Amino acid sequence: MLNLRILFLLQKARINKQNKCPIRCRLTYNHKRREFATGQFIMSECWYSKKQLAEPPSDENNNINTQLSLIKSKINRAFLLLQVQEGNFSVDDIYMLYKGEVS
């Protein structure tokens, strides 16, 4: 049984005018990766990669954490739905279902 890994990471090479980095999401399943933009931006010093959280607590950081938690929940829901169907699927299938696109 293979596990789905969900990792949020900063794209530090793409800092915007507000000095914020985009947060990307990387899905890994069956040794294949799919990475996509979350639409969230954060100051690099506020991101704690080991915890996968924005800190210290503030309205903006709490909002980012909530959005990332929602993304993670939707991905897990898509993964479970594909597992219930008992067919073979790839990381791209998980992403497509998460986005609401049926393959």
Side-chain angles (χ1 to χ4, degrees), residues 11-70:
Q11 192 173 9
K12 292 183 180 178
R14 295 214 172 241
I15 297 172
N16 67 14
K17 289 178 183 172
Q18 289 89 31
N19 241 2
K20 293 183 179 181
C21 304
I23 302 174
R24 302 205 35 99
C25 182
R26 179 185 293 159
L27 304 178
T28 308
Y29 177 71
N30 202 11
H31 306 290
K32 301 280 189 240
R33 285 182 178 172
R34 178 72 149 107
E35 198 170 297
F36 62 93
T38 63
Q40 300 297 312
F41 293 83
I42 190 170
M43 302 286 275
S44 62
E45 60 270 10
C46 292
W47 180 249
Y48 290 85
S49 59
K50 283 191 184 249
K51 293 181 179 179
Q52 294 282 287
L53 286 174
E55 288 184 342
S58 68
D59 286 345
E60 185 178 4
N61 288 346
N62 290 341
N63 184 41
I64 290 169
N65 289 335
T66 302
Q67 292 300 322
L68 296 181
S69 178
L70 186 62

